Amino acid sequence: MKIKILIADDHHVVRKGLVFFLQTQPDLEVVGEASNGEEALKLATSLEPHIVLMDLSMPVLDGIEATKELKKQAPHIQVMILTSFSDQDHVIPALEAGASGYQLKESDPDELVAAIRKLMNGENQLHPKVTTHLLTRLTKSSEKKVNFIDHLTKREKDVLKEIAKGKSNKEIGASLHITEKTVKTHVSNILSKLGVQDRTQAALYAVQHGIS
């Protein structure tokens, strides 16, 4: 099954460049293009892509608001931010809005494709520059937050450590010698107890509280 992708970017040349490259990959299919966040929402609900490559700076509705609304309407659709901004003021709001990945337009095309494939396998993908900014932000704010790690069982903590390493459910199961179904249950409990939306936020929380 091909990975269906919707591209949301207000720059025509950027969209066409992405379409041209992504369509050369046998397992990827670009199902639509949007020039702003509002179009992205409409197309996402009608085309049902697996992943939306979302630019942040767009007219009508920006990428962060579009991501937030999309995750409300269709939480099963993954959002990967693809932008030129790697600073905290853009990264943090995007992840809080529900994005599962954050890549920069300066990235090598092959790295972007690899990140898309990993995202489909349940591995949240953050560009190294983005991770650096996030860790700096989280380190500064860690003392202000309640530590919900204490609410986790020992096994849930073990699973959280593996999530922080970027492992998929299948890899976690193999590492801890438990079934993939059991891993999914643990992941669901972890997200609920930590009060986070997805694996990316859980991984960041783990790093913030020294669990990685």
Side-chain angles (χ1 to χ4, degrees):
M1 183 181 70
K2 289 191 175 185
I3 301 173
K4 296 190 294 183
I5 300 169
L6 170 65
I7 299 172
D9 196 299
D10 62 328
H11 292 286
H12 179 78
V13 174
V14 172
R15 290 202 313 275
K16 292 306 178 185
L18 284 169
V19 170
F20 178 79
F21 178 74
L22 295 177
Q23 294 286 41
T24 65
Q25 306 301 307
D27 58 335
L28 305 183
E29 178 185 4
V30 177
V31 295
E33 301 174 46
S35 60
N36 60 61
E38 190 173 275
E39 284 183 9
L41 282 175
K42 291 178 180 177
L43 289 175
T45 53
S46 63
L47 298 175
E48 287 286 321
H50 295 110
I51 296 175
V52 176
L53 288 183
M54 186 86 75
D55 188 22
L56 286 181
S57 181
M58 292 187 291
V60 186
L61 193 66
D62 65 34
I64 290 175
E65 290 303 315
T67 297
K68 192 180 299 181
E69 190 59 35
L70 178 59
K71 297 306 289 185
K72 289 179 183 177
Q73 296 181 16
H76 58 285
I77 296 178
Q78 301 294 320
V79 176
M80 177 178 285
I81 301 298
L82 184 60
T83 182
S84 302
F85 304 108
S86 62
D87 59 283
Q88 297 177 16
D89 292 338
H90 288 89
V91 176
I92 300 293
L95 295 180
E96 289 179 342
S100 300
Y102 198 111
Q103 297 295 315
L104 301 181
K105 291 181 178 178
E106 66 187 50
S107 302
D108 183 275
D110 290 328
E111 292 177 358
L112 174 61
V113 170
I116 289 172
R117 290 172 179 148
K118 288 181 179 179
L119 186 59
M120 277 301 294
N121 287 328
E123 301 176 48
N124 300 94
Q125 294 298 302
L126 301 180
H127 189 279
K129 281 187 179 180
V130 174
T131 305
T132 300
H133 285 304
L134 282 175
L135 292 180
T136 301
R137 162 74 174 264
L138 291 171
T139 299
K140 290 179 180 178
S141 63
S142 61
E143 295 181 358
K144 301 177 184 178
K145 295 187 177 181
V146 177
N147 188 356
F148 291 107
I149 298 295
D150 295 335
H151 297 174
L152 303 182
T153 65
K154 182 181 182 303
R155 179 55 90 185
E156 287 168 352
K157 289 179 182 177
D158 291 338
V159 172
L160 182 58
K161 287 180 182 178
E162 300 302 305
I163 290 176
K165 295 176 183 176
K167 292 186 179 181
S168 64
N169 287 348
K170 185 176 181 181
E171 292 171 327
I172 294 174
S175 178
L176 300 180
H177 307 293
I178 55 179
T179 66
E180 191 171 347
K181 184 177 180 181
T182 299
V183 175
K184 289 181 179 179
T185 300
H186 285 315
V187 171
S188 178
N189 290 338
I190 290 169
L191 298 184
S192 177
K193 290 182 179 181
L194 296 185
V196 296
Q197 294 182 333
D198 55 35
R199 298 167 73 98
T200 301
Q201 294 180 7
L204 294 173
Y205 195 98
V207 172
Q208 173 189 348
H209 291 85
I211 296 298
S212 61

